[in-house]
């Protein structure tokens, strides 16, 4: 089973990103053949600054390697190192109806929020289809907002297969993890950069402490019993504590004498303990960028071999001799 996942190089990642998507993607290396790429071409729809794109792309690679992406188990590369995806993007564009693209929820949502409409944004689903179909992907893990794009990929693949009377492309299946809970932010809403309520994974101790100590709580005093059921500190603590530790924390809530600041410091300690091994590994890769580039080139060479064979089959099918 081949699993494909694209990673946007979006800069700083927070614990909501990790528990919502990254952790499960890393674990999927044991579930099948993982193909994971840094979506540098896709990023061009929103990033128009050279330095930002370069920095974010390197950081994305370093972060995922630090968190356990194994170049021996998986195929891990940066999108623009496999140019075949752009050739397939153009070929698939000629089998994609305007009506299909005009129905894309993502495009409508982004333009309604003031993002400038352009061809790249409009044809984004075709490039995503090329990413998926080029590698004969079976499973594409996505959030609910991306299900339509996988369905569009199936439509495009069917159109191509039917036109040439051959099963050139496999039809991928979207995988949505229904049990993923929304990771709460410091204010109780979904953790999101746009809400400014995140706890960042890789940051300074001072900044992380500031974020944790900024978790919103009620105004109960030290000598009052606290309610853990609706407390944002407890909700985030569930990500980092085992059952015994959570039971102990609930007992502390029920015992007057401690304030929310004490509970925040306990949470901060657990977060730092959890991510310390990853931070040490990340520091190594930050100091060895040549090795990071070599890992990405190794992954790209594996991806190009599969992509070139697939494109040879496609060119032969459509008459590009």
């Amino acid at each position: 089973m081949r699993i494909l996942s694209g990673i946007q190089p979006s800069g700083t990642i927070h614990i909501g990103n990790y528990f919502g998507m990254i952790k499960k993607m890393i674990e999927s290396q044991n579930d099948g053949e993982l193909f994971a790429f840094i979506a540098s071409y896709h990023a061009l729809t929103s990033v128009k600054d050279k330095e930002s794109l370069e920095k974010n792309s390197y950081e994305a690679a370093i972060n995922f390697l630090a968190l356990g992406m194994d170049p021996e188990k998986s195929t891990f590369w940066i999108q623009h190192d496999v140019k075949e995806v752009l050739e397939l993007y153009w070929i698939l564009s000629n089998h994609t109806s305007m009506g299909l693209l005009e129905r894309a929820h993502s495009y409508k949502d982004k333009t309604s929020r003031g993002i400038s409409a352009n061809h790249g944004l409009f044809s984004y689903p075709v490039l995503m289809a090329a990413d998926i179909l080029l590698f004969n992907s079976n499973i594409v893990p996505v959030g609910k907002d991306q299900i339509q794009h996988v369905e569009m990929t199936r439509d495009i693949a069917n159109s191509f297969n039917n036109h040439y009377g051959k099963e050139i492309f496999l039809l991928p299946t979207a995988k949505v993890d229904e049990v993923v809970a929304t990771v709460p932010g410091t204010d109780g809403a979904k953790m999101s950069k746009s809400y400014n309520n995140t706890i960042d994974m890789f940051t300074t101790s001072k900044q992380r402490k500031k974020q944790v100590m900024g978790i919103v709580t009620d105004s109960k005093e030290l000598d009052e019993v606290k309610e853990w059921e609706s407390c944002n500190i407890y909700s985030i603590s569930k990500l980092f504590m085992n059952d015994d530790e959570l039971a102990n924390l609930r007992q502390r809530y029920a015992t007057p004498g401690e304030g929310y600041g004490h509970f925040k410091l306990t949470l901060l300690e657990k977060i730092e303990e959890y991510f310390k091994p990853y931070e040490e590994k990340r520091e190594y890769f930050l100091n060895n960028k040549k090795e990071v580039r070599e890992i990405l080139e190794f992954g790209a060479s594996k991806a190009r071999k599969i992509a070139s064979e697939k494109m040879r089959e496609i060119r032969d099918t459509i008459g590009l001799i």
Side-chain angles (χ1 to χ4, degrees):
M1 180 178 67
R2 186 167 289 173
I3 305 162
L4 183 129
S5 188
I7 306 149
Q8 281 276 9
S10 57
T12 304
I13 56 176
H14 52 73
I15 65 172
N17 300 139
Y18 177 72
F19 287 103
M21 183 273 286
I22 298 171
K23 185 173 184 287
K24 285 183 169 55
M25 184 167 75
I26 298 296
E27 289 170 348
S28 73
Q29 292 179 112
N30 300 315
D31 298 333
E33 189 181 8
L34 176 64
F35 278 60
F37 64 94
I38 298 167
S40 51
Y41 284 138
H42 287 289
L44 291 173
T45 61
S46 57
V47 181
K48 302 293 194 293
D49 178 74
K50 174 183 185 293
E51 285 73 24
S52 293
L53 184 58
E54 288 180 349
K55 178 177 179 291
N56 289 349
S57 296
Y58 254 118
E59 281 201 4
I62 287 168
N63 289 342
F64 275 81
L65 289 170
L67 290 168
M69 185 68 74
D70 186 339
E72 297 297 333
K73 280 185 177 181
S74 61
T75 301
F76 182 50
W77 76 101
I78 193 162
Q79 191 179 25
H80 63 260
D81 281 342
V82 181
K83 299 293 191 294
E84 286 86 350
V85 72
L86 293 183
E87 182 180 2
L88 182 55
Y89 161 68
W90 177 247
I91 291 169
L92 295 179
S93 293
N94 294 282
H95 293 271
T96 307
S97 70
M98 290 292 289
L100 184 67
L101 294 179
E102 286 167 350
R103 292 192 293 274
H105 303 317
S106 178
Y107 176 75
K108 293 176 183 177
D109 176 61
K110 288 176 180 176
T111 53
S112 70
R113 289 190 282 113
I115 297 175
S116 298
N118 59 47
H119 179 262
L121 194 64
F122 184 68
S123 62
Y124 185 105
V126 187
L127 181 56
M128 184 170 169
D131 293 322
I132 296 168
L133 299 175
L134 186 60
F135 297 101
N136 294 322
S137 310
N138 304 110
I139 302 294
V140 184
V142 291
K144 290 181 180 179
D145 60 331
Q146 290 280 311
I147 293 174
Q148 187 192 37
H149 283 167
V150 180
E151 292 172 345
M152 292 170 77
T153 296
R154 292 173 62 90
D155 289 339
I156 295 168
N158 266 321
S159 174
F160 186 97
N161 289 345
N162 290 337
H163 181 84
Y164 289 101
K166 297 173 68 176
E167 295 298 314
I168 299 298
F169 295 123
L170 296 177
L171 300 186
T173 300
K175 180 183 178 183
V176 180
D177 193 340
E178 298 289 350
V179 302
V180 172
T182 298
V183 176
T186 55
D187 60 355
K190 178 183 177 182
M191 188 172 288
S192 170
K193 291 178 189 175
S194 60
Y195 297 158
N196 194 29
N197 66 353
T198 63
I199 298 173
D200 297 332
M201 281 185 58
F202 298 122
T203 186
T204 63
S205 294
K206 182 178 178 180
Q207 174 64 10
R208 184 181 291 124
K209 183 176 181 179
K210 180 181 177 182
Q211 291 173 335
V212 172
M213 298 308 287
I215 295 173
V216 177
T217 63
D218 61 37
S219 56
K220 284 189 170 64
E221 300 292 339
L222 284 173
D223 59 353
E224 293 183 270
V225 170
K226 318 295 186 299
E227 295 180 4
W228 59 269
E229 291 90 344
S230 58
C231 181
N232 295 327
I233 304 169
Y234 186 85
S235 295
I236 298 172
S237 296
K238 289 191 290 186
L239 299 169
F240 298 96
M241 296 184 185
N242 60 36
D243 290 343
D244 289 341
E245 290 168 330
L246 287 171
N248 177 260
L249 183 58
R250 290 194 297 271
Q251 183 61 42
R252 290 171 63 187
Y253 271 81
T255 306
E258 287 190 286
Y260 289 115
H262 297 95
F263 306 149
K264 290 175 182 179
L265 289 174
T266 298
L267 172 60
L268 177 62
E269 183 180 330
K270 294 302 296 183
I271 292 174
E272 291 184 334
E273 178 186 314
Y274 187 98
F275 287 119
K276 184 178 180 181
Y278 302 128
E279 288 176 338
E280 291 172 350
K281 197 171 180 182
R282 183 175 185 269
E283 190 66 27
Y284 169 81
F285 284 118
L286 282 171
N287 294 321
N288 292 274
K289 285 192 174 181
K290 182 182 177 185
E291 184 175 339
V292 174
R293 186 66 248 182
E294 289 171 351
I295 288 171
L296 291 172
E297 287 174 355
F298 173 65
S301 68
K302 292 198 291 181
R304 276 194 300 269
K305 181 178 179 182
I306 294 169
S308 63
E309 290 174 358
K310 190 68 181 179
M311 285 310 306
R312 198 175 303 120
E313 179 187 14
I314 293 165
R315 292 189 203 106
D316 181 65
T317 297
I318 65 180
L320 292 175
I321 60 173

